[in-house]
Amino acid sequence: ENFNGHDFINEVLNKGAKGVVVNSGFRSSGFESINSHSLYRDTKPENLKHQSTLPGCFIQVADTTRALGDLAGYYRRKMPAKIIAITGSNGKTTTKDMIYHLLSKKFKTVKSRASFNNFIGVPLTIFELNKDHEFGVVEMGTNAFGEINRLSEIGAPDIVVITNVAETHLDGLKNVAGVQKAKAEILDHMNKAGTLLVNSDDEFALEIAKKFNGDLIDFGLNKNAKITASKIRREPYGWSFVINDLRKVELPVPGYYNIFNCLAAISVVVALGIEIDDPGNTFNDFQLAPMRMTKTTINIKDGSLLDYSDCNRKSDTDNPIITVINDAYNANPSSMRAAIREYGMMKRPGRKIFLCGHMAELGVESERLHTEIGKEIGQSSIDYLWAVGEMADHVANGAIKAGMNTNNIMSFKNIQDLLKTALPALKAEDTLLIKGSRVMRLESVVDSVRSFFS
């Protein structure tokens, strides 16, 4: 987004790189093409003191990003590791982390960093493999047709997990049928002897499975699923449930939807024929990635942080507190609904406030979907709504239509206006949930709250 790698050719050659793959039309930073595929020369006199000619192999290609993927695909096929690929509208990163959590306890395993799920991130993950690795866990995302097909071509997965299919990236994929079609592309280059894992509670994911002719494992709360959960209980630490009436799992994370992600991870080890330790003990040290329902407890006397595990209680004179729940990594209609339901079920000592940000890439459906989310907020046990972003008024209107008190609703076009008006309204025992699309960068609000009280 911010740099052109061609601008650093001198630097990397000086540091010992043996070759550079460059775009065929490359003409920046004073370099001049000498011939079709071998050398470049720095022709700016002021740069000659740094480099006149440096030895190196220069390979011209039409598209360096495509070349990166081609090299990764070649490299992947030379490595013995089995590749587990995860796609879906929600839960990809958490499912990836849970799979890695299980496998890495016994096997040398690589996983995608953060959300390295695109044409650059997937190759970089594959290049972390070496011949000692037994598994690679790779996330694959998309906002346009053909992208996952290409990622599948690069990764050639042995195991494919489809977490769910929902209304996401509608700018490029048009509707949920388009999302389904795009997600199904992950099967295009899958190992023919591989296994597909799908969420049995998701009708669109199941439709993909019906067209698949290979080995299949479904997971979910459907009692007919191969991997299912029962006796689900909300616990102080998160959730507990029993797998196939055999093994109890204690999952120390919030979010009912994370039960599905956990079942997907357990399904992977079943597909691989691996015997794991008691899942109840296996998951007790699992942690969600940042900005997934991350709780921060703030002392509003001075803005200091308090240990949340010690502060899930009412404020007192010495420690008047508020809790901020940062779920701002990303948002789409289905993940928003899941967050609203989760927040609605939480028992909190004071007011529940929802800072609801804009959901990006919804195309012509944006107004309708934001209004629907507002209605769900209005029908929930959430006390206050702070809507922010270009669709904030639609969220607010939806909440009003659902019967939410207009005095409990504020709408802002940008974060700056929200901070000036809304932060002074916070008081002891409040809980503030923050969620919106990545483009909103709403995680900055957490620091703003701390700064306000300090």
Side-chain angles (χ1 to χ4, degrees):
E1 294 178 353
N2 301 309
F3 299 99
N4 185 336
H6 295 83
D7 295 338
F8 300 91
I9 288 176
N10 278 354
E11 183 178 347
V12 297
L13 290 174
N14 277 315
K15 289 182 176 179
K18 300 302 180 186
V20 188
V21 178
V22 296
N23 281 330
S24 57
F26 171 56
R27 291 291 186 277
S28 66
S29 297
F31 285 91
E32 176 185 45
S33 180
I34 301 301
N35 61 42
S36 63
H37 62 275
S38 59
L39 290 174
Y40 283 88
R41 182 179 65 193
D42 191 330
T43 57
K44 286 187 176 180
E46 65 269 26
N47 289 337
L48 292 180
K49 63 180 182 289
H50 301 298
Q51 172 195 339
S52 54
T53 58
L54 281 175
C57 173
F58 286 74
I59 303 171
Q60 285 186 332
V61 296
D63 183 340
T64 49
T65 304
R66 175 117 195 146
L68 179 71
D70 288 344
L71 288 168
Y74 171 76
Y75 184 76
R76 178 265 179 275
R77 286 159 179 80
K78 290 174 71 70
M79 294 297 107
K82 288 184 178 293
I83 297 295
I84 299 135
I86 304 109
T87 195
S89 298
N90 299 300
K92 294 186 293 296
T93 299
T94 300
T95 300
K96 172 203 68 183
D97 289 344
M98 287 180 172
I99 294 168
Y100 177 82
H101 185 80
L102 290 179
L103 294 179
S104 62
K105 290 181 179 293
K106 288 187 176 182
F107 306 96
K108 194 166 183 185
T109 308
V110 163
K111 70 169 181 175
S112 304
R113 298 185 214 169
S115 293
F116 273 32
N117 61 13
N118 57 21
F119 294 148
I120 294 174
V122 169
L124 292 181
T125 301
I126 288 171
F127 284 133
E128 290 191 29
L129 293 168
N130 62 45
K131 291 186 177 179
D132 293 329
H133 284 112
E134 294 166 274
F135 300 105
V137 189
V138 181
E139 189 177 328
M140 296 183 179
T142 183
N143 57 14
F145 295 113
E147 289 184 351
I148 288 185
N149 174 285
R150 171 62 174 161
L151 296 177
S152 178
E153 180 183 24
I154 295 167
D158 299 285
I159 304 285
V160 165
V161 181
I162 301 178
T163 60
N164 45 60
V165 176
E167 294 168 309
T168 56
H169 305 296
L170 301 186
D171 266 352
L173 302 178
K174 306 306 180 187
N175 51 42
V176 71
V179 178
Q180 180 190 55
K181 180 181 177 182
K183 299 301 182 186
E185 291 174 1
I186 198 169
L187 304 177
D188 292 348
H189 301 279
M190 180 183 175
N191 183 336
K192 291 181 179 178
T195 305
L196 171 64
L197 281 56
V198 296
N199 183 342
S200 67
D201 291 53
D202 188 294
E203 60 177 313
F204 295 103
L206 278 179
E207 284 182 10
I208 296 173
K210 288 176 183 177
K211 299 175 184 177
F212 180 71
N213 296 320
D215 291 338
L216 175 69
I217 295 177
D218 58 347
F219 60 88
L221 304 187
N222 182 332
K223 65 180 181 180
N224 295 319
K226 186 167 184 179
I227 307 297
T228 187
S230 60
K231 300 177 182 176
I232 298 169
R233 288 186 57 184
R234 180 182 287 272
E235 307 284 1
Y237 55 79
W239 297 93
S240 68
F241 52 93
V242 177
I243 304 170
N244 291 5
D245 294 323
L246 297 172
R247 283 177 157 175
K248 184 178 181 181
V249 173
E250 295 176 339
L251 188 64
V253 297
Y256 185 79
Y257 43 85
N258 280 317
I259 296 172
F260 290 90
N261 298 331
C262 184
L263 291 173
I266 292 169
S267 298
V268 168
V269 298
V270 170
L272 292 169
I274 295 170
E275 184 65 29
I276 61 172
D277 297 329
D278 178 9
N281 294 323
T282 302
F283 277 103
N284 61 9
D285 57 345
F286 177 78
Q287 293 182 329
L288 293 172
M291 294 188 284
R292 273 86 170 177
M293 285 288 180
T294 305
K295 292 184 175 69
T296 301
T297 305
I298 300 171
N299 186 330
I300 63 174
K301 287 178 71 174
D302 57 12
S304 61
L305 295 181
L306 300 173
D307 179 13
Y308 178 76
S309 62
D310 293 334
C311 296
N312 193 8
R313 52 170 172 70
K314 290 189 175 183
S315 301
D316 56 42
T317 304
D318 295 328
N319 290 300
I321 61 172
I322 62 171
T323 300
V324 181
I325 303 175
N326 179 3
D327 199 36
Y329 178 75
N330 215 339
N332 57 52
S334 59
S335 70
M336 274 287 193
R337 292 185 186 102
I340 293 164
R341 286 193 292 270
E342 177 68 15
Y343 198 28
M345 288 189 289
M346 286 184 187
K347 294 181 180 179
R348 305 301 302 158
R351 303 179 303 173
K352 289 193 282 191
I353 305 166
F354 186 16
L355 197 170
C356 179
H358 173 68
M359 298 178 292
E361 297 185 50
L362 295 180
V364 296
E365 297 294 322
S366 188
E367 291 185 7
R368 175 182 67 84
L369 292 169
H370 280 87
T371 301
E372 287 182 4
I373 290 301
K375 288 179 180 178
E376 295 215 21
I377 295 168
Q379 293 165 353
S380 74
S381 65
I382 295 169
D383 301 302
Y384 286 79
L385 167 64
W386 298 351
V388 62
E390 60 184 83
M391 290 286 144
D393 288 345
H394 294 283
V395 177
N397 289 336
I400 293 169
K401 289 177 182 177
M404 195 172 197
N405 189 331
T406 56
N407 294 326
N408 295 359
I409 300 171
M410 290 192 282
S411 176
F412 307 92
K413 289 300 181 186
N414 56 65
I415 295 175
Q416 291 73 28
D417 290 343
L418 181 147
L419 295 176
K420 282 189 288 188
T421 304
L423 290 193
L426 288 170
K427 62 183 183 181
E429 299 182 8
D430 282 347
T431 300
L432 174 64
L433 171 64
I434 301 170
K435 189 169 183 63
S437 279
R438 188 86 296 271
V439 294
M440 296 289 294
R441 298 289 192 267
L442 289 179
E443 66 274 11
S444 65
V445 174
V446 182
D447 289 333
S448 298
V449 172
R450 287 194 65 196
S451 297
F452 175 79
F453 286 109
S454 63

